[in-house]
Amino acid sequence: MSEPTGVIHDIGYRHYEGVRLGRRHAAVALAVHSLRGVFGLGRTARAKIIPFLLVGVMMLPAVVSIAVMALLQREAMTYPSYAVTMQAVLAIFLASQSPYTVAPDLRFRVLPLYLSRPVTLGDYVGAKLAAMITAMFLLLAVPLTVLYIGELIIDMPGPPHTSAYLTSMAGAVVYAALLACVGVAIASFTPRRGLGVASVIAFYLLTSAVSAIIAATMEETNNYAASSWAWLINPFFLVDAAVQVGLFGAAPSAPGAYPPGAGVVVALLLVAGLIALSVTALILRYRKAASR
Amino acid sequence: MTILATEGLTRRFPRVTALDGLTVTVGPGVTGLVGANGAGKSTLIKILLGLLAPSAGGARVLGMDVTTQGAEIRRVVGYMPEHDCLPPDLSATEFTVHMGQMSGLPRTAARERAADVLRHVGLYEERYRAMGGYSTGMKQRVKLAQALVHDPRLILLDEPTNGLDPKGRDEMLGLIRRIGTEFGISVLVTSHLLGELERVCDHVIVIDAGRLLRSSSIAEFTQTTQTVAVEVEEGRDVLAARLTELGETAVPQGRALLVDIRAPETFDTLRDAVCDLDLCLIRVEQGRRRIEDVFREPADV
């Protein structure tokens, strides 16, 4: 007997007999959901404008460098200086997108729904951080990699700058970790997205301005040792000093030199300390939010 | 079969005791949890989800201990909170799929389940729109859908009819009834209104100030007396007088009369009385004693 096609049958409620995955799967799903959200995917068209605009701006130096290499056979930009040169763009991306990962869940009280699932508070915080770290890493690593591929294809005289590229990738990992942790931690203290954006950008402006002013003043008084320490106040120079210069011996990207010797150790400790402080602040923040 | 059971469950906060030695057992079907605001309903739900540790006593949900097996419980229990919990810039579909994945469903299964439950709760084309523009009724449906998406064995509904208009309230209650019967999922539903729970619950638990006032089946409440509600166009009092004369008990309630059924003959008496008096009969309805009446009596009777 042939059934007519295109008929919708109400087959009633069906039970789910398939697999049920555990906490890890849920945490990964949350991280992926947040990562997509950071770039505006699965959200309104308006939410896509800023992240993709900033991604475009981040790609510009890579594209220009490739053009310069192809036409003039000259290197235009070194890999480790990429993040420092583009620090304002990275800071704006961090400020505009990190509040999205945490603020709506607090403001619209989605958090209790997550906690009524198998994931724990630690999983939640971990997933949100992982999402933002991945986003920041992609934002930095994609143009660097495009630039490197460009360099390989153009095949300039002399060997490719592979070690500089790898140094910058190591730097990108630490940049992403430090910036995302600080950004998300600051943003988590307010359920309002606008306030979060303002707080994160204020953090960047404050540290970079204070760092530049102190360094300039110290240089005027010929106190070069003090000015080299002052650069570390800016998180972008801090990671440069700790990882790219300190561990991998790249040339400093700050206008002045970084503190040598023990300075590297201090810079590394500062990076680790800032990440630890941010994660602790986040966990305390969410303990309080969950108990409400 | 026991769905959940508490034993001397106590939860003290610095200022108040939210639950005070609560011992109840809940079986399958729809169970109402009634109490005034602050009676401890939400605290009980949090403990049952394993999100809040009891100060004393214990509880088991589907045979699992709430203090040690919280994560396992949360995999097979659904929760609909009382407050708003929907991000406005997502569509109902995306949100429900995401919540399904958060409960451990693989992505494709979550998609299928989300489509299914959204249809069951009565959301159709609008489920692709951002939830920011939804009415309260639609929001409540999405909140219910996300609690059902992983096909839980038990769902905890915290004040699901809050903020709904009478029509929305009826539809929500109808849905809850269907979940308990047709879907075969046990339901614990809280409310501060007894009347609405009467229509959907098999069993009602009443708590006050964290203590158990009563726990009994609806049938137990309502079978104690059987009444019919009789409504006539005019002459309600004449009919009452005639019935009393004939030895029946008739109490006016609003425009209707509540007549106690002593025996099947009461129906004949009633029919004859209406005919003899030549009244226009509007309705005769199987009336149940409302559970409010039961609880209006002292609890220790």
Side-chain angles (χ1 to χ4, degrees):
Chain A
M1 198 180 93
S2 69
E3 289 258 307
T5 51
V7 174
I8 299 171
H9 297 281
D10 185 2
I11 45 178
Y13 185 79
R14 286 184 297 172
H15 283 283
Y16 177 70
E17 312 286 354
V19 282
R20 287 175 193 268
L21 304 160
R23 253 176 69 190
R24 265 234 338 252
H25 162 83
V28 170
L30 178 59
V32 171
H33 180 78
S34 304
L35 178 61
R36 282 168 48 86
V38 166
F39 288 102
L41 304 174
R43 292 166 64 200
T44 54
R46 238 179 52 200
K48 294 177 181 69
I49 297 174
I50 289 184
F52 278 97
L53 195 71
L54 293 175
V55 167
V57 174
M58 276 305 287
M59 293 300 294
L60 272 182
V63 173
V64 171
S65 293
I66 292 171
V68 169
M69 281 191 286
L71 301 175
L72 308 175
Q73 293 290 306
R74 271 175 50 194
E75 199 196 357
M77 194 172 194
T78 66
Y79 294 98
S81 68
Y82 209 101
V84 170
T85 312
M86 301 304 286
Q87 57 176 287
V89 182
L90 287 168
I92 293 173
F93 186 88
L94 181 72
S96 64
Q97 301 313 115
S98 58
Y100 169 76
T101 59
V102 283
D105 287 354
L106 291 169
R107 178 159 178 201
F108 303 111
R109 303 181 71 182
V110 194
L111 189 62
L113 282 192
Y114 283 120
L115 297 181
S116 75
R117 261 69 193 185
V119 287
T120 63
L121 208 57
D123 296 338
Y124 177 86
V125 172
K128 290 292 182 179
L129 280 178
M132 198 60 212
I133 291 172
T134 311
M136 293 303 291
F137 178 75
L138 287 177
L139 189 65
L140 198 47
V142 169
L144 284 170
T145 307
V146 167
L147 183 56
Y148 182 63
I149 294 171
E151 190 189 339
L152 291 182
I153 292 173
I154 290 163
D155 195 17
M156 296 227 299
H161 299 81
T162 307
S163 68
Y165 166 69
L166 293 177
T167 298
S168 71
M169 290 302 275
V173 172
V174 182
Y175 271 120
L178 177 70
L179 295 174
C181 289
V182 171
V184 173
I186 294 177
S188 75
F189 279 89
T190 166
R192 305 185 69 97
R193 211 148 89 196
L195 215 56
V197 172
S199 315
V200 178
I201 204 75
F203 170 81
Y204 166 68
L205 289 177
L206 202 73
T207 51
S208 67
V210 166
S211 150
I213 290 168
I214 296 180
T217 327
M218 290 301 149
E219 264 172 35
E220 265 171 32
T221 56
N222 287 331
N223 190 346
Y224 289 103
S227 88
S228 70
W229 284 98
W231 292 118
L232 301 188
I233 298 174
N234 182 327
F236 288 91
F237 294 140
L238 178 66
V239 174
D240 190 31
V243 181
Q244 303 191 136
V245 178
L247 291 184
F248 295 97
S253 305
Y258 299 127
V264 173
V265 179
V266 173
L268 281 168
L269 286 177
L270 272 174
V271 170
L274 268 173
I275 292 177
L277 183 73
S278 307
V279 173
T280 313
L282 260 173
I283 288 174
L284 290 179
R285 167 74 180 103
Y286 274 97
R287 284 228 180 107
K288 201 180 144 216
S291 65
R292 271 192 305 140
Chain B
M1 196 174 78
T2 308
I3 295 296
L4 66 90
T6 69
E7 183 67 50
L9 191 65
T10 302
R11 172 68 204 197
R12 279 181 286 270
F13 289 109
R15 294 234 178 124
V16 286
T17 301
L19 290 175
D20 191 0
L22 185 71
T23 303
V24 286
T25 312
V26 171
V30 184
T31 304
L33 179 63
V34 190
N37 291 332
K41 298 181 302 243
S42 297
T43 306
L44 178 61
I45 285 186
K46 276 191 180 167
I47 291 179
L48 293 177
L49 283 168
L51 298 175
L52 200 64
S55 311
R60 297 182 80 77
V61 177
L62 301 164
M64 293 176 276
D65 190 284
V66 291
T67 44
T68 56
Q69 291 171 290
E72 284 88 343
I73 292 174
R74 292 194 293 271
R75 280 174 72 164
V76 289
V77 172
Y79 167 54
M80 172 179 175
E82 179 184 0
H83 53 76
D84 279 343
C85 57
L86 307 175
D89 62 343
L90 288 185
S91 71
T93 302
E94 275 168 296
F95 181 70
T96 314
V97 170
H98 175 53
M99 279 307 174
Q101 284 188 283
M102 291 306 297
S103 296
L105 302 194
R107 188 161 177 83
T108 40
R111 287 201 160 285
E112 245 171 65
R113 288 281 315 164
D116 260 15
V117 292
L118 285 169
R119 182 169 54 82
H120 281 300
V121 301
L123 277 178
Y124 301 96
E125 288 312 306
E126 56 274 28
R127 65 179 185 233
Y128 303 111
R129 280 198 282 121
M131 295 187 288
Y134 282 15
S135 67
T136 311
M138 285 153 75
K139 282 183 183 165
Q140 291 297 93
R141 284 163 198 264
V142 184
K143 280 164 66 179
L144 184 61
Q146 65 78 30
L148 283 172
V149 66
H150 54 302
D151 188 26
R153 289 171 58 198
L154 165 71
I155 53 171
L156 308 172
L157 309 177
D158 202 353
E159 305 273 358
T161 54
N162 243 10
L164 294 177
D165 58 26
K167 186 167 165 279
R169 194 171 280 256
D170 280 352
E171 286 168 354
M172 179 56 76
L173 291 171
L175 258 171
I176 294 170
R177 186 72 213 155
R178 273 182 65 204
I179 293 168
T181 52
E182 207 177 298
F183 299 9
I185 298 170
S186 294
V187 183
L188 181 71
V189 50
T190 76
S191 177
H192 51 262
L193 300 171
L194 273 166
E196 59 177 40
L197 289 185
E198 177 185 54
R199 292 174 34 198
V200 297
C201 293
D202 305 312
H203 195 96
V204 171
I205 293 168
V206 187
I207 60 173
D208 187 38
R211 273 191 296 266
L212 180 68
L213 273 192
R214 250 182 208 215
S215 169
S216 15
S217 74
I218 284 284
E220 223 171 285
F221 288 143
T222 50
Q223 273 173 4
T224 41
T225 359
Q226 276 235 304
T227 58
V228 284
V230 185
E231 199 178 324
V232 289
E233 207 162 68
E234 267 167 17
R236 184 197 71 181
D237 297 331
V238 186
L239 180 62
R242 170 64 71 94
L243 287 172
T244 315
E245 207 173 283
L246 294 168
E248 303 291 343
T249 326
V251 196
Q253 189 198 54
R255 290 166 51 85
L257 271 182
L258 288 183
V259 183
D260 281 359
I261 308 297
R262 291 178 299 113
E265 290 75 52
T266 308
F267 291 108
D268 300 334
T269 320
L270 179 63
R271 178 201 59 206
D272 295 344
V274 173
C275 283
D276 292 350
L277 293 167
D278 204 14
L279 296 172
C280 286
L281 189 61
I282 295 173
R283 69 186 173 107
V284 177
E285 190 180 56
Q286 187 85 327
R288 290 193 306 196
R289 266 180 87 189
R290 309 216 140 232
I291 34 185
E292 268 123 326
D293 302 336
V294 178
F295 291 116
R296 213 171 279 146
E297 299 158 8
D300 52 357
V301 168

